[in-house]
Amino acid sequence: ALGFHPWFNIPSDDRHKFGDYTAFFPKSERISVCRMSKNVLDSGSRTPLGSDRIRLDPSLFAADVLMLEGTGGEVRIVCENGSGVTVDYGDMPYLGLWNTAREDAHFICTEPMTTLPGRDGIVEEWSERRDIVSLGAGKTYFAAVNITADMPEN
């Protein structure tokens, strides 16, 4: 299992609030929300998102992480003023968005990963997981995250 945990400040002042930011998935196909259990394990349940964007709101994180699949390997966290950050995570199939669900928490974590946490109530060998990255002798696996920041001139 491989994952990354880049987080970004979400400026909040008299002009901008957390809710002025959107997570946009420009390469998405059919995004699904992977429902996590109260133990933050995969419940096995999936719900179609029905959109290629999510308006950020602390209530999204009331049950901890918002875990997504089908995002297309790229997320743009953008403000209404045009500033933002793009995280390109290639072929990693899952993306977690995380915040503490507090109104005064001015950040967003983007957590691309190759494998979901274990399944709630099921004990299984890692080697038997459907989404595990497994390499044979002499093989190589490459994963990278590219981050681009966009700041308006004014």
Side-chain angles (χ1 to χ4, degrees):
L2 180 67
F4 297 89
H5 187 82
W7 66 273
F8 305 97
N9 182 46
I10 299 288
S12 183
D13 54 34
D14 292 339
R15 296 175 305 153
H16 304 103
K17 302 289 181 226
F18 192 78
D20 293 334
Y21 291 81
T22 300
F24 169 56
F25 304 95
K27 298 178 182 176
S28 66
E29 296 163 14
R30 291 175 54 193
I31 301 173
S32 293
V33 177
C34 305
R35 297 292 174 194
M36 306 305 279
S37 72
K38 65 180 179 179
N39 298 320
V40 196
L41 295 171
D42 183 11
S43 73
S45 174
R46 302 292 184 268
T47 304
L49 184 62
S51 179
D52 63 356
R53 60 195 72 222
I54 302 168
R55 171 82 55 184
L56 297 185
D57 184 278
S59 67
L60 291 171
F61 311 104
D64 201 80
V65 67
L66 179 65
M67 190 64 68
L68 305 168
E69 66 181 339
T71 60
E74 181 178 304
V75 61
R76 295 193 71 232
I77 307 295
V78 293
C79 183
E80 292 174 346
N81 72 0
S83 64
V85 62
T86 300
V87 181
D88 182 333
Y89 43 95
D91 63 354
M92 285 186 246
Y94 305 104
L95 178 71
L97 295 177
W98 183 81
N99 179 282
T100 62
R102 292 180 17 198
E103 292 289 334
D104 64 344
H106 307 295
F107 68 91
I108 187 74
C109 291
T110 59
E111 302 178 351
M113 56 188 75
T114 59
T115 306
L116 288 175
R119 295 187 294 164
D120 200 26
I122 298 174
V123 177
E124 61 190 328
E125 293 293 325
W126 277 98
S127 61
E128 296 175 9
R129 301 259 325 248
R130 68 174 178 82
D131 58 358
I132 197 74
V133 174
S134 181
L135 297 178
K139 300 295 182 184
T140 301
Y141 177 79
F142 177 80
V145 171
N146 292 303
I147 300 169
T148 305
D150 298 307
M151 303 303 290
E153 291 189 27
N154 42 345

